[in-house]
Amino acid sequence: MTLVAVACGAAIVFRAGRAAADSHPADFDRDIRPILAGTCLRCHGGVRELAGLHLGQRDRATTADAKGRVAIVPGDPERSELVRRISRTGEGRMPPTGQPLSLKQIAAFRDWIARGAEWTPLWSLTKPTEAPLAIVRDVAWIKSPLDRFVLVKLEAASISPAPQADRATLLRRVSLDLSGIPPTIAEVTAFLADDSDDAYARVVDRLLASPRYGERWARVWLDLARFADTQGYEKDGRRTIWAYRDWIIGALNRDMPYDQLVTRQIAGDLLPDATDEDRIASAFHRNTLTNTEGGTDNEEFRMAAVLDRVAVTWNAFLGTTFQCVQCHSHPYDAFSQEEYYRFVAFFNQTEDADADDESPTISVRPPWWRERAIAAAALSSVEDEALNAWIGNATAAAEADATAASVPADLQPLLRKPASERDAGEVALLRLAASGSASATLASLAPTTVPIMRELPVDRRRTTHFLERGSLKKPGHEVQPDTPASMQPFPPEAPRNRLGLAQWITAADNPLFARVGVNRLWETLFGRGIVETVEDFGSQGASPDDRALLDHLARRFIDLRWSTKDLLREIVLSSTYQQASSTTAAALAKDPDNRMHSRAPRFRLEAETIRDSALAVSGLLSERMFGPSVMPPQPDGVWSIVYSDDHWMVSEGDDRYRRGLYTFWRRSSPYPSLLAFDAPSRETCTPRRSRSNSPLAALATLNDPAFLDAARGLASRAMERGNSDPPRIARDMLRIALVREPRDGETERLTRVYNAERERLSRDAEATRSLTNSDNVDLAAWMLVGNVVLNLDEFLTRG
């Protein structure tokens, strides 16, 4: 084939290219959009429109400029200025710097323009569709509908899936994924002894029903909500908002449908007959930063919070980088600056105004108070007759003089409430007050103040303006609440407020909502989303590794009525999930990054899971749920606060060993050992955590007090099981921590470490006491062995 190029002005005619295009027509999504996004839009997009040209919008690109030139003339590449410019070889060539477009790329543009230059919507803005069932050879491998999508690609590449993981590995994997902690020895023993067909399915159901499930998956939501116990900025004073964290744990454990979960966080306060729990849910958007430093402009930082809520809403629920549209139209995606401020208008009518007192707030009992009160009251010896007598006496005292009543002030209204109207939780509170021996429990159930969202009354509503270049100092015309034209229309019956916006976001015809939700679940389970850029489903984000699989899961989520637990159950019961992480050289060559899911992924555990796992295998992990954040030990000097005498007060008792998500979170100084494993500062929404490999991480697991305590606890457990037999102690230590039997030579190597450390410590009483607070040389030596085990890559990795 010969290529004849004839220069005619700025045009080049590709006869061979034309023939090739006829057999392989240019596709806008595949061939054109990537070039526009990667090469052209940086100068001719929403940020810079050099020569007045915007190539991101068809109507703009096909309109003549002041000189009568048209960049793209649909159906006529010869008259299209774009073709002339990209075909030049000298002055005036586009792009003006860097590599010129290839002959193949130029031919694709010519073909696309000749065929009408149609802009097709970005894949993520089209409604998910279910692909026809593909024929596969290994039908027996399919355990879940999603397996078929994976197997189609594997068979097309002549790759065999990895075999199923061994049962101990599978149990550890699913336990970490669904509950965030490894299985116990008893759970492993029971599972390995159960040869029934549904043994694994019953394990999955047990884990999904466990209260640990909500704690594990709340971690994902706390990153999205930028949850912290402080206000942010330099002063970074304390904020009491832990009731939101407890609400999300409880909602997840109840398997609140995903659309309702999101609706309540965006607009729980606006629901008809909103409850206190609905209002607590709205604290999702009160996690914004508040600047309480002297001399700051409250309106400036109030508006900063409003804009943050816009960014978080798009990042968390729609997987879109919308925040750049504050200053200019989106350079790559179909969002204009005008549309941005229309969207801002939804969030610009709330009462909060960067106030030091965090108003508006409500005083509520924590969401879990009824369950805990009823459980505590069940241990009380107060009988109904005695309780009624006490209530009568307390009521009389309160009516005479409220200060004389032997009951907390916040419970006094219950005294006056008719007995028939008190619910079980309220009766339990009165029973605890009457017992006189449960003051600690009552204190933990006392009302707490929570910042919430609340709309301004009609007579105080604000006017929202278009801001020139995003500057508060340059307000433009007034705008009304609305959503981008490139997405599905706003529900006609929905109110133009946050509740209506939540209905628009969670609608089944929203092309992004379900996709983004299931992609986050997949990323959490497999270490990488089907769309790797979890936070960006736009044209600059990654394309899905398997769009058919993503769309299947999105539609399945809707069919399951947004049940996260049901969808997770289908995923973890699949053959895809249950594969071993081992692979063959042939499969590795064809699928090096495991984007076809030819094996189970291996990746380092999350920061909280690493800490929780160490405490769990040591026997120290507290199962206590909910309540104010705690302060486990951290190195001296981490907090240095010039604005106050606030300091880190190490928690006592089992609060020292609570799960990581209950750790007090100071934005300007997050808990250091979690930070070492890539936990974010939570100043902004974090849809996806990075995974770095830093010496700081190893220093944390080797030296952090929590890990030293865990190593000591693991040593004590193994010594109790193994008595004084070193090989047996070493064996049990491995079995407890790694959930498997030792391999050849492992027990012997650990025993040698023990012997060497025991000999050294026997000559160093001070070192022994510093490790164990005792003179127990054996415990100190085994503690150091336990520290080795907890630092093994296998312990820190989900395989």
Side-chain angles (χ1 to χ4, degrees), residues 417-469:
K417 196 173 184 179
S420 60
E421 295 181 10
R422 298 186 191 117
D423 63 31
E426 292 168 334
V427 172
L429 285 176
L430 293 174
R431 193 181 297 277
L432 289 171
S435 70
S437 60
S439 58
T441 302
L442 268 179
S444 72
L445 299 174
T448 182
T449 300
V450 189
I452 60 164
M453 299 285 274
R454 182 185 292 151
E455 292 290 273
L456 287 167
V458 174
D459 60 342
R460 291 171 52 202
R461 291 180 69 82
R462 301 183 183 94
T463 299
T464 304
H465 294 274
F466 179 95
L467 301 180
E468 298 289 343
R469 301 299 297 171

Side-chain angles (χ1 to χ4, degrees), residues 58 85 90 176 212 255 280 297 306 316 332 382 413 458 465 471 475 480 576 649 697 705 769-770 775:
R58 188 178 192 273
R85 292 299 188 95
L176 290 171
R212 308 283 83 82
D255 197 25
I280 292 173
D297 184 338
V306 170
Y332 304 111
V382 178
V458 174
H465 294 274
S471 173
Q480 299 299 321
T576 302
M649 291 286 293
R769 282 192 293 273
S770 71
D775 296 321

Side-chain angles (χ1 to χ4, degrees), residues 574-754:
S574 69
S575 289
T576 302
Y577 177 86
Q578 295 182 52
Q579 292 179 99
S581 58
S582 57
T583 188
T584 63
L588 189 62
K590 295 178 179 178
D591 189 22
D593 296 326
N594 200 26
R595 293 187 180 275
M596 289 190 281
H597 306 291
S598 58
R599 57 191 178 277
R602 288 180 60 85
F603 52 88
R604 199 203 65 212
L605 296 169
E606 299 168 349
E608 292 86 348
T609 304
I610 290 173
R611 182 179 186 275
D612 294 350
S613 295
L615 293 175
V617 301
S618 72
L620 295 174
L621 183 65
S622 169
E623 292 190 353
R624 182 168 171 250
M625 298 178 68
F626 308 125
S629 298
V630 297
M631 294 183 171
Q634 72 174 8
D636 293 336
V638 172
W639 275 29
S640 179
I641 303 174
V642 299
Y643 289 95
S644 70
D645 61 355
D646 194 13
H647 58 283
W648 188 268
M649 291 286 293
V650 175
S651 299
E652 301 294 331
D654 68 347
D655 276 352
R656 180 184 177 111
Y657 305 119
R658 299 281 300 280
R659 290 193 69 161
L661 86 162
Y662 297 113
T663 299
F664 190 94
W665 207 274
R666 186 165 188 246
R667 283 179 161 128
S668 58
S669 183
Y671 192 62
S673 69
L674 298 181
L675 204 62
F677 284 99
D678 303 308
S681 68
R682 298 228 178 102
E683 293 169 287
T684 58
C685 174
T686 307
R688 176 174 54 143
R689 288 189 183 183
S690 62
R691 286 192 180 89
S692 65
N693 191 5
S694 164
L696 291 176
L699 290 173
T701 50
L702 285 167
N703 301 297
D704 184 89
F707 288 92
L708 293 178
D709 286 352
R712 188 186 308 113
L714 177 60
S716 296
R717 289 189 68 192
M719 290 173 71
E720 290 171 2
R721 294 171 60 88
N723 297 318
S724 59
D725 180 24
R728 184 177 173 186
I729 294 173
R731 171 179 173 270
D732 283 342
M733 192 172 283
L734 287 169
R735 291 180 68 230
I736 294 170
L738 303 184
V739 194
R740 64 167 175 79
E741 293 295 328
R743 302 189 181 103
D744 290 345
E746 289 181 334
T747 298
E748 291 77 6
R749 287 195 290 275
L750 289 184
T751 303
R752 286 199 297 270
V753 172
Y754 160 74

Side-chain angles (χ1 to χ4, degrees), residues 396-418:
E399 290 173 347
D401 181 358
T403 61
S406 57
V407 63
D410 63 279
L411 295 185
Q412 290 185 19
L414 290 180
L415 298 175
R416 302 177 179 85
K417 196 173 184 179

